[in-house]
Amino acid sequence: MTKIPIKNAAEIELMRGACRVTSQILDELNGFVRAGLSTEEINTFVHKRTLELGAKPATLNYRGYTKSVCTSINDVVCHGVPSPYVILKNGDIINIDVTSIKDGFHGDSSRMYFVGGREACSKAAVELVDVTHEAMHVGIREVAPGKRIGDIGAAIQDFIASTGKNYGIVREYTGHGLGREFHEPPQVIHVGRRGTAEVMKAGMTFTIEPMINAGTYKTELSKVDGWTVRTADGALSAQWEHTVLVTDNGYEILTQSLIQHTA
Ligand code: MF3
Ligand code: CO
Ligand code: CO
């Protein structure tokens, strides 16, 4: 297993800066997302704001990906590719995943947005989005030095089971370490067993980004663009993502929203 990078105080400060760009853009998207907008327009907005904030979009030209953000609507699990032909409509749920590189470090976070507001979306969609948000925080609350990466997935899995819903937790896509690299060790699986996988140490930085499906956990990769991941059964999917730091006594959410009511 490759070694997990430990960030020193100076590097952590740079991580905070990169993550602040990401969370600020996600905050700004609250006032931007609306019916009639194309996902290409979201891409243009994120690209422009990233540059204005002194950062670069990490996804642009990453492994052949050609956009500055991922926009995943309804049954799209992750890696939805912005397009001028995909138009938001009232009642859609969309995950917008922003990754910024600033001063050589990465910040990675995603949130769900209700097109037309909560009221415009189905009860099932709202419930899925809220449960997924809580699942992310249940995972984050496991983060502390001396605990194991497997504790995170175990807590998320137990929480989803406790809802009594027949939700599927996506297996093929996971959280990840990040810092100077977009994706580095550890891999953070959103299911698992307590006491397994790597031991967390202060100075580690990684994402927790559960994708929860309203049906089967199984996914299908688009043969058309090679990126878009959909639920295998066409059910809705939701995802939330934060970048977290392991501190001496717990964790710090580096991509915390700067406004009160969103998390
Ligand atoms: N931001 C995604 C993540 O959370 C990765 C997107 S990679 C891309 O890890 F190439 F699809 F953009
Ligand atoms: Co990520
Ligand atoms: Co992301």
Side-chain angles (χ1 to χ4, degrees), residues 59 62 65 70 79 97 99 108 176 182-183 209 227 241:
T59 59
Y62 177 77
Y65 191 83
C70 295
H79 305 166
D97 191 336
T99 314
D108 187 8
H176 50 92
F182 191 167
H183 294 101
E209 50 180 299
W227 281 104
E241 173 178 27

Side-chain angles (χ1 to χ4, degrees), residues 143-145 202 246-251:
V143 175
V246 184
T247 62
D248 289 330
N249 48 18
Y251 62 86

